Amino acid sequence: MGADSTIEPPESFEALERRLIEIEPHLPKRLRQAAAYALDHPDEFALGTASALARSAEVQASTLVRFAQTLGFAGFSELQEVFRSRLRNRWPDYSERLKALQENARDSGDPTHLLFGFADSAAASIARLREAVQRRELDRAVSLLAAARTIHCLGQRRSFCVAHYLTYALSQLGIPASLIDNVGGLGPEQLAQAGAGDALIAISFSPYAPFTVDLAKRARRAGVPIVVVTDSALSPLAGIADVRFEIVESDFGSFRSLAATFCLAMTLAVAVGEKRAEAGA
């Protein structure tokens, strides 16, 4: 069944919401179920796959296609784009809130203003992460890391805590992991035995830590597969990555959190653990 050519698909989330409110009482049971899930979980609907969303809504994937066509869309991906546009269009709200907080929080004497500012900054970073990271990048990174004998984690300065956490999380999941901490200047020796059967996660943001860049380049020359977490396609790490994630954290009062970076780190650790468990099953 194709889209109803007599119906113009809604162009915005608000228009879609109004359309659903109008037609919901007349929809079959399963389509009402899909509509309710879409409105109750718009962020998930924007970012999930059709099969995953169908499981969550307890309907068939074909029901989501019929749901989209009932609204005048050619298919599910066209409907999903409306939900994705809603996420993108929320950014001005975050920017205005952060700007307003920055103007008075530091001088107000009220520490809750600081709390709200940092919380909004973290929320903005994570919302941007959800929009920027693509499924294909995650799949490639997880496959690369899951196949490694040992995963080496490298980060200095403010990225060090992320590398340390990744080493801890991977080790707790039973995955061989090594922290390249460069204590005593022994960083090169810590990575000396790594080869093509291992993997490196290198994390660095502007201004890029020279040690991280230099050691990652050594690993590249040794044939070590590399997953890079950085903030720009112009990063000195970008060109040596097998898989690259670009994360731009929001800042509040010149303080930049690592909320989105830690979210990605947790995702990689758990996803790699699950993939290795499946392979060993």
Side-chain angles (χ1 to χ4, degrees):
M1 182 178 70
D4 188 338
S5 59
T6 65
I7 299 175
E8 286 292 325
E11 296 183 356
S12 68
F13 181 80
E14 292 74 18
L16 183 146
E17 201 171 29
R18 290 194 298 271
R19 176 80 59 82
L20 283 178
I21 291 170
E22 291 171 2
I23 68 172
E24 193 273 344
H26 311 292
L27 294 176
K29 178 182 177 182
R30 292 304 182 191
L31 293 188
R32 289 202 309 272
Q33 205 166 318
Y37 183 83
L39 292 183
D40 289 342
H41 305 86
D43 289 356
E44 289 84 347
F45 210 86
L47 300 167
T49 63
S51 57
L53 292 169
R55 286 195 298 272
S56 297
E58 299 182 351
V59 298
Q60 298 295 316
S62 59
T63 301
L64 295 183
V65 176
R66 287 194 296 118
F67 174 54
Q69 292 172 340
T70 298
L71 291 165
F73 295 96
F76 173 74
S77 60
E78 290 80 5
L79 168 62
Q80 191 175 45
E81 183 55 33
V82 174
F83 286 82
R84 289 179 173 175
S85 294
R86 168 186 170 274
L87 277 184
R88 287 193 292 268
N89 291 336
R90 291 195 310 185
W91 278 106
D93 292 338
Y94 276 121
S95 299
E96 289 303 314
R97 288 168 66 182
L98 286 173
K99 182 179 178 181
L101 280 162
Q102 285 171 337
E103 288 173 354
N104 62 37
R106 305 277 309 270
D107 300 322
S108 68
D110 183 350
T112 60
H113 288 174
L114 290 174
L115 173 64
F116 297 157
F118 287 123
D120 280 343
S121 177
S125 296
I126 290 172
R128 184 184 286 117
L129 174 76
R130 296 182 68 166
E131 184 64 25
V133 174
Q134 301 298 313
R135 168 73 182 272
R136 64 180 178 275
E137 294 168 339
L138 280 172
D139 283 343
R140 287 176 59 208
V142 170
S143 295
L144 183 156
L145 295 170
R149 289 175 306 207
T150 301
I151 299 173
H152 301 276
C153 303
L154 171 63
Q156 294 285 289
R157 300 174 178 169
R158 75 186 186 97
S159 301
F160 178 78
C161 58
V162 184
H164 190 283
Y165 170 78
L166 269 167
T167 308
Y168 167 77
L170 291 166
S171 299
Q172 289 296 303
L173 290 166
I175 301 166
S178 169
L179 175 65
I180 310 302
D181 56 18
N182 199 36
V183 170
L186 294 175
E189 287 76 8
Q190 290 175 316
L191 196 59
Q193 301 305 312
D198 301 299
L200 172 68
I201 302 176
I203 310 149
S204 190
F205 306 104
S206 179
Y208 308 100
F211 171 77
T212 299
V213 175
D214 290 345
L215 202 59
K217 287 180 177 179
R218 290 195 194 191
R220 175 83 288 168
R221 291 193 292 270
V224 180
I226 301 175
V227 174
V228 163
V229 181
T230 190
D231 54 4
S232 170
L234 301 177
S235 162
L237 292 173
I240 64 173
D242 291 283
V243 186
R244 182 179 79 243
F245 296 99
E246 292 176 22
I247 297 178
V248 180
E249 300 272 9
S250 296
D251 69 275
F252 176 70
S254 299
F255 291 94
R256 184 160 291 174
S257 79
L258 286 164
T261 309
F262 269 106
C263 186
L264 175 63
M266 288 187 284
T267 299
L268 289 173
V270 174
V272 168
E274 290 178 345
K275 192 168 187 69
R276 286 173 65 102
E278 290 171 3

